[in-house]
Amino acid sequence: MKSQRAQVGQTLLPRKLRKSTRWQTALFTQRRIVSNCCSDLSTTYTEEVPNYLALNVLQDQSNTGQDNIRKVLVILNPNSGFRSSRAVFYKKVQSTLKLSGFTMKVVETAYAGHAKVLASTVDLSTCPDGIICVGGDGVVNEVLNGLLGRDDLKEALQLPIGIVPAGSDNSLVWTVLGIRDPVSAATALAKGGFTPIDVFAVKWIQAGVTHFGLTASFCGFVADVLQLSENFRLQLGPFRYVIAGLLKFLSLPQYRFEVDYLPSPGRNPELKSPTQNCCDQLSDGSKVKRGSTEDNWVMRKGEFLGILVCNHFCKPAQGLLSPVMAPKAQHDDGSLDLILIHGSGRLRLFCFFVAYQFCWHLLLPFVEYVKVKQVKIRPVGGTHNGCGVDGELLQGEGQAEWQCSLLPAQGRLLGRHPRT
C-alpha cells in the first residue's frame, strides 16, 4: 500500500512540475517573440507591448497571405516641424504599418524639391500601392507635382498618396480625412481604402509654368507672410507664421489686383445677374469693370488684402479653435471656392482675422465668396507678384499673371474619413 502511495506521489509530482515548466516556457517564449519583433521594427522602439496584444497582432499578420502585402515608398522630410518627423515615424508609425502588411522603402529628403525629384523618377513597379509622405503639406505638394510631371502620367494618376502629419501645418489630411496626429494616420493607412480628391493647377501664363495643388492658392497678405516666414523656418518651426504675420501686419503695404473668375453654374444662387454686377459699387470704392463677357466671366479690380482659392474648406490642424476658411467647399465637389477680401488697412485686416477665428468672416461686408471653375489674377503696380500654393511660394517676374483651374477627381489619398 505504501509503495502504491509512493508511486502515486511520484507520478503526480512530475506532472505538476511539467505543467509549471510548460507555462513558464510559454511565457518566456512570448516575451522573446515580442522583444525580437520590436527590435526588428525599429532600433529606437522602447515601449513595452502587452503579450496578449502583440501575439494577437502577430497572429493576424501570420494569417495574411502574400497577396495582402502592400509595397510603398515612404518619403520623409527630416526638417518638418521641429525636426521631429524622423522620431515620429520610427517610434509611432513604422511598427503599425509593418504589422499590417506594408513593405516600405524609406527615403529622407536632403534638400528643397527632393521629394518632387523622387516622385518623378521612382520606378512605379517598386511602390504599386502608393507613396507615403511624412512631414507637412509641403512634402505632399512636392510628391503631387512630381507624379503629375511624369511621362507615364496615366499610371502616375492611379498611384495614391498617403500622409503622416509631422509638419508645421497639415490642413489637408485634417480637413479631408479627419486625421491630425501620426498614430491616427497609421491606423487609417493600415485599414486601407482610398479617397478621391480634386486637383487644381496654377499656371504662370507668361512663363508657361504650371504648379499643382490640393489645398489652396493665395495672393496678397498671406503670400507676403509666407515669403517672410522662410527666414525663420529653422529657428521657430511652426511659430514662424505668427512672427512673420505680426511683422508684415506692422508694415502692411497696399495690394492691387485684377481678378477674373468663371462662376460654377448652379453653385451660386446668391449671385446677382451680370447686369446688376456691372452697376455694383463695392464697399471699398472699387468697381466691377465688366460684369460678364464670353462664358460669363466676371472681373473685379481694386485693392484686395487677400485673394484665396480653396479646394476644400481648409481647416488648420494647429490651434485651439481650428476655424474653417471656406465652409461651402468640398474636396470632391468639382469646383473651387474663391474668397476676395476687398480693401486695405490694418483695421480691416484685423477685423477679418478676428472674425475668421469664430467663422464669422464671410458675414463681413468687404468679403466676397463665390464658387468658381477658373480664376485669373494679375498684380497691378508694385504689388507683390508671388502666389502661394499649399504653403509653397511661387515667385513670378514682372507683372505676372496667374491662372487657377480645376482638374476634378485627379488625385487619390490613402485612407478614408472615419465617418465614411
Side-chain angles (χ1 to χ4, degrees):
M1 190 70 179
K2 291 182 179 180
S3 61
Q4 291 179 354
R5 290 181 180 177
Q7 290 177 358
V8 172
Q10 290 175 359
T11 56
L12 288 178
L13 185 58
R15 288 180 182 176
K16 293 180 181 179
L17 288 174
R18 284 198 296 269
K19 290 181 180 179
S20 177
T21 303
R22 289 174 182 173
W23 182 83
Q24 293 179 0
T25 304
L27 181 61
F28 175 79
T29 304
Q30 291 175 1
R31 290 177 177 172
R32 187 175 180 182
I33 291 174
V34 175
S35 177
N36 290 339
C37 173
C38 294
S39 62
D40 291 340
L41 294 178
S42 176
T43 56
T44 59
Y45 188 87
T46 58
E47 183 179 358
E48 294 183 8
V49 181
N51 289 333
Y52 69 89
L53 178 59
L55 290 175
N56 287 340
V57 173
L58 290 174
Q59 185 177 3
D60 292 340
Q61 183 191 11
S62 63
N63 292 333
T64 60
Q66 294 295 328
D67 294 339
N68 294 326
I69 295 179
R70 291 176 280 181
K71 296 181 180 180
V72 297
L73 171 66
V74 177
I75 298 180
L76 188 152
N77 181 5
N79 295 320
S80 292
F82 284 110
R83 298 187 176 183
S84 60
S85 56
R86 185 184 290 109
V88 165
F89 177 74
Y90 288 113
K91 290 184 178 182
K92 298 182 179 181
V93 176
Q94 186 189 47
S95 58
T96 301
L97 296 183
K98 279 194 173 182
L99 289 172
S100 59
F102 279 89
T103 299
M104 296 168 286
K105 178 183 178 182
V106 182
V107 181
E108 297 187 6
T109 58
Y111 53 88
H114 191 188
K116 180 179 179 180
V117 174
L118 292 172
S120 62
T121 57
V122 65
D123 183 359
L124 298 184
S125 63
T126 62
C127 54
D129 296 295
I131 297 178
I132 297 178
C133 304
V134 183
D137 288 342
V139 66
V140 179
N141 184 264
E142 287 189 18
V143 169
L144 174 71
N145 280 272
L147 291 176
L148 295 183
R150 295 176 63 103
D151 295 332
D152 53 346
L153 181 59
K154 184 177 180 180
E155 292 76 12
L157 287 174
Q158 300 301 316
L159 197 70
I161 299 175
I163 305 173
V164 175
S168 302
D169 187 29
N170 297 100
S171 173
L172 174 62
V173 69
W174 172 227
T175 303
V176 179
L177 300 181
I179 296 170
R180 66 190 309 175
D181 64 273
V183 176
S184 300
T187 303
L189 293 172
K191 289 181 178 179
F194 306 100
T195 298
I197 184 173
D198 297 336
V199 177
F200 64 89
V202 176
K203 183 178 181 179
W204 179 11
I205 295 179
Q206 289 89 337
V209 177
T210 301
H211 196 85
F212 300 96
L214 293 172
T215 297
S217 175
F218 41 85
C219 296
F221 175 76
V222 180
D224 265 359
V225 171
L226 180 62
Q227 183 182 31
L228 183 60
S229 68
E230 289 303 308
N231 299 329
F232 312 109
R233 174 182 287 272
L234 298 179
Q235 297 86 353
L236 301 177
F239 298 106
R240 66 184 184 273
Y241 299 114
V242 178
I243 301 301
L246 290 174
L247 293 176
K248 184 56 64 174
F249 179 82
L250 295 175
S251 59
L252 185 66
Q254 288 185 331
Y255 305 99
R256 297 185 63 85
F257 295 95
E258 291 182 352
V259 183
D260 291 343
Y261 63 82
L262 180 62
S264 295
R267 299 293 185 102
N268 301 286
E270 72 280 3
L271 291 179
K272 299 179 181 180
S273 66
T275 304
Q276 289 175 304
N277 279 330
C278 289
C279 302
D280 279 350
Q281 292 279 346
L282 300 177
S283 59
D284 63 348
S286 62
K287 298 182 179 180
V288 180
K289 187 174 181 181
R290 66 177 188 271
S292 67
T293 60
E294 186 179 0
D295 296 328
N296 295 323
W297 281 86
V298 178
M299 180 178 179
R300 300 284 192 255
K301 181 179 179 180
E303 294 182 345
F304 297 90
L305 285 167
I307 301 171
L308 297 96
V309 184
C310 302
N311 190 36
H312 49 74
F313 54 84
C314 298
K315 189 176 183 180
Q318 308 293 339
L320 297 176
L321 298 179
S322 194
V324 173
M325 178 60 71
K328 299 180 183 180
Q330 295 295 330
H331 61 275
D332 58 353
D333 61 358
S335 64
L336 297 167
D337 289 51
L338 174 65
I339 299 177
L340 300 174
I341 309 170
H342 294 273
S344 61
R346 296 187 187 90
L347 178 59
R348 181 166 291 196
L349 182 62
F350 178 77
C351 291
F352 174 82
F353 278 109
V354 171
Y356 164 65
Q357 296 301 319
F358 299 96
C359 297
W360 299 339
H361 54 290
L362 298 184
L363 301 177
L364 298 173
F366 53 86
V367 176
E368 184 178 0
Y369 183 53
V370 57
K371 299 187 79 68
V372 300
K373 286 290 187 182
Q374 292 187 48
V375 183
K376 295 180 182 180
I377 303 172
R378 294 177 296 275
V380 177
T383 299
H384 178 251
N385 56 11
C387 179
V389 179
D390 293 2
E392 302 297 316
L393 184 66
L394 308 181
Q395 191 68 52
E397 297 179 0
Q399 296 299 315
E401 181 176 355
W402 305 96
Q403 177 177 325
C404 185
S405 55
L406 188 69
L407 306 174
Q410 292 298 305
R412 291 204 305 168
L413 299 180
L414 275 172
R416 293 194 184 100
H417 197 285
R419 284 180 282 183
T420 59

